[in-house]
Amino acid sequence: MSKPLSRDAVKLAAMATMACNHFALALMPYATLWREVLVDIGYFTAVTMCYFLVEGYRYTRSRKAYALRLLGFGVVAQPIYLAALGVNQLNMLFTLFFCFLLIWAMDAFAGRWYRYPVAAALVLVTAWCDWPVLAAGFTLLFVVCGPLGRRWTGACFVMAAALFFAFNYTNYAAVGWEPAAAACHAGWSCVGILAAGAVILFLYNGKRSAFGLRHPRLSKYFFYAFYPGHLALLAVARLVLMH
């Protein structure tokens, strides 16, 4: 049976789940059920973007242009990101920029003694970004294990979910949650990552376009522009509701 989803279709799903996450974080009351549900749905996005970042590195015509697009849109999105979500960190496009540099360094410095110190430094830089350290960890998983085949790609998503579980469980425990409650909430937070793995493994066909996004440049820039665009709408909504 043929797989129905192209790269753009999976990216559209990732954009939709990210919008759910950001909507909940920006506009919904803390500690409500639907806020938690929408936030957890959004965890589909980061690991999917890391997967496509590694794939994009292999196929891009210009790695320099790819990196500069991530950086440029990250700079544009930063004040909007701060206004929409009210968090003191760099946005996800900066995270993906450093992750792209990480892939590049692992490739360019293969066999050199400084390969791993440079990689470690780039991982640490993401500590000031959205998805701190974790996104870089996901990226490394796909760099190392992805080329080994389908089973290893599935293992990457399982390991990514395990890392996220450990991260969330530690955070919940640190603020005094009971172990069972911490484990339950940390477990539910991993569903989006596992769903992303299922979509990539069983539904993604490796082709480029769907849903009318058939021009490569239109498709490319739509996904970059969506990030600051949807955050701008949330920032305006947040400003209106606060007044």
Side-chain angles (χ1 to χ4, degrees):
M1 184 177 67
S2 62
K3 297 178 180 180
L5 299 183
S6 70
R7 186 181 313 141
D8 283 349
V10 179
K11 285 184 177 180
L12 283 170
M15 296 301 99
T17 57
M18 177 179 64
C20 289
N21 177 283
H22 287 166
F23 173 84
L25 293 175
L27 301 177
M28 297 185 74
Y30 184 75
T32 58
L33 175 61
W34 279 109
R35 184 183 193 272
E36 292 300 320
V37 169
L38 292 177
V39 166
D40 287 351
I41 286 172
Y43 294 147
F44 178 98
T45 305
V47 71
T48 303
M49 292 296 99
C50 292
Y51 176 86
F52 283 126
L53 192 72
V54 175
E55 186 178 84
Y57 176 84
R58 299 191 190 111
Y59 297 119
T60 186
R61 294 180 181 179
S62 172
R63 291 165 183 169
K64 180 179 178 180
Y66 198 139
L68 289 176
R69 277 195 303 273
L70 289 168
L71 180 61
F73 276 91
V75 170
V76 169
Q78 185 60 25
I80 307 170
Y81 175 79
L82 296 177
L85 301 183
V87 291
N88 188 24
Q89 61 186 12
L90 296 175
N91 67 70
M92 188 64 187
L93 293 179
F94 280 104
T95 312
L96 293 175
F97 169 69
F98 291 122
C99 287
F100 189 83
L101 296 185
L102 174 62
I103 303 167
W104 203 344
M106 291 291 287
D107 182 25
F109 302 149
R112 308 289 180 86
W113 69 266
Y114 46 81
R115 183 192 195 199
Y116 294 104
V118 171
L122 288 168
V123 170
L124 289 175
V125 168
T126 68
W128 286 271
C129 303
D130 195 8
W131 283 84
V133 179
L134 284 168
F138 300 162
T139 302
L140 284 175
L141 284 173
F142 293 125
V143 168
V144 174
C145 299
L148 299 178
R150 178 186 174 87
R151 290 185 179 180
W152 280 100
T153 298
C156 286
F157 282 99
V158 172
M159 287 186 281
L163 285 172
F164 195 47
F165 175 88
F167 175 82
N168 281 319
Y169 180 84
T170 301
N171 283 343
Y172 292 140
V175 295
W177 285 42
E178 292 294 328
C184 179
H185 281 262
W188 277 112
S189 69
C190 298
V191 171
I193 293 176
L194 295 174
V199 168
I200 295 294
L201 287 171
F202 301 113
L203 300 177
Y204 172 49
N205 59 26
K207 297 179 182 179
R208 179 190 295 274
S209 297
F211 300 126
L213 298 178
R214 301 191 181 282
H215 192 286
R217 293 182 69 84
L218 174 62
S219 172
K220 179 190 301 181
Y221 286 101
F222 170 80
F223 292 112
Y224 284 106
F226 179 85
Y227 189 79
H230 87 284
L231 287 172
L233 292 176
L234 290 175
V236 171
R238 190 177 186 206
L239 183 64
V240 170
L241 290 174
M242 288 175 63
H243 290 80

